[in-house]
């Protein structure tokens, strides 16, 4: 996956993800349990029922991450003039960030009373899509291993017909 649950925990998103991914019929997963679940850490200190709810929340999160990867791959295979082979391996850091932004947006789909222009989740999602469009169109590079030919940086070359007026053809006119 381009972005893993562990990456989300490293980004300090455990509380947010517990709030949006816990199924509605359950109490929201505790932040520390969600963090341990995202990291794949030991959860023996929690009640088995709480761990099962955290696992259900993790399934929702993993589904969003896979959907985000699908969105990204959809843009990358349409790359012009050279399409990427997906899934990318290794994964450029920017692609992992885009996957996180898109997954967060997908997980927050049910929010109400937010203003799109000031909402950081929407802003990040829109920015990820903009960069994916630029990448698809060959206007944004994913880094050193990008299959696009490098932009031309060579010297200027002139091409013209053979010179008609030379010193030998003009010899009779200058003297």
């Amino acid at each position: 996956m381009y972005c893993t649950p562990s990456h989300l925990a490293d980004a300090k998103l455990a509380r947010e993800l517990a709030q949006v991914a816990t199924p509605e019929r359950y109490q929201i997963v505790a932040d520390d349990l969600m963090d341990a679940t995202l990291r794949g850490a030991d959860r023996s200190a929690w009640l088995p029922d709480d761990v099962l709810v955290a696992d259900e929340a993790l399934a929702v999160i993993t589904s969003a991450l896979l959907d985000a990867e699908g969105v990204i791959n959809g843009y990358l295979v349409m790359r012009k003039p050279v399409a990427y082979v997906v899934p990318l391996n290794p994964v450029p850091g920017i692609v992992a960030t885009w996957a996180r932004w898109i997954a967060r947006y997908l997980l927050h789909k049910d929010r109400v009373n937010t203003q799109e222009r000031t909402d950081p989740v929407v802003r990040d999602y829109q920015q990820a899509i903009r960069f994916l469009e630029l990448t698809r169109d060959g206007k944004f590079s994913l880094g050193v291993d990008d299959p696009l030919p490098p932009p031309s940086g060579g010297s200027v070359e002139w091409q013209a017909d053979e010179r008609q007026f030379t010193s030998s053809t003009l010899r009779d006119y200058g003297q």
Side-chain angles (χ1 to χ4, degrees):
M1 291 191 337
Y2 294 152
C3 180
T4 65
S6 181
H7 290 136
L8 298 174
D10 291 344
K12 310 264 188 261
L13 295 174
R15 171 177 283 171
E16 174 186 322
L17 295 173
Q19 292 172 351
V20 297
T22 301
E24 290 183 19
R25 63 187 177 275
Y26 300 116
Q27 183 176 350
I28 294 174
V29 175
D31 299 349
D32 51 350
L33 174 56
M34 191 77 250
D35 187 73
T37 302
L38 291 170
R39 295 180 189 282
D42 178 35
R43 301 178 297 168
S44 60
W46 286 277
L47 296 172
D49 289 343
D50 294 339
V51 171
L52 288 174
V53 174
D55 287 342
E56 284 191 46
L58 180 62
V60 171
I61 293 164
T62 301
S63 177
L65 288 170
L66 290 172
D67 289 347
E69 185 171 329
V71 169
I72 292 169
N73 287 343
Y75 279 96
L76 297 182
V77 297
M78 299 301 294
R79 175 76 179 265
K80 297 170 188 149
V82 180
Y84 285 102
V85 175
V86 294
L88 298 176
N89 188 13
V91 179
I94 190 68
V95 173
T97 300
W98 294 340
R100 184 179 74 231
W101 290 350
I102 294 168
R104 283 181 71 207
Y105 179 80
L106 295 173
L107 288 166
H108 284 83
K109 67 185 179 325
D110 295 329
R111 287 191 316 172
V112 293
N113 298 328
T114 61
Q115 295 183 1
E116 274 193 27
R117 62 182 174 80
T118 59
D119 186 338
V121 173
V122 174
R123 180 201 61 223
D124 290 347
Y125 169 77
Q126 290 173 340
Q127 187 173 9
I129 296 300
R130 261 193 309 273
F131 276 113
L132 284 167
E133 289 169 346
L134 290 171
T135 304
R136 175 200 62 205
D137 297 339
K139 297 177 181 177
F140 185 80
S141 170
L142 293 183
V144 178
D145 297 327
D146 198 324
L148 279 180
S152 175
S155 61
V156 176
E157 291 186 26
W158 297 95
Q159 186 174 18
D161 295 333
E162 185 177 324
R163 188 172 178 181
Q164 294 183 12
F165 298 105
T166 65
S167 59
S168 61
T169 59
L170 295 174
R171 184 179 354 238
D172 294 336
Y173 291 102
Q175 302 188 19

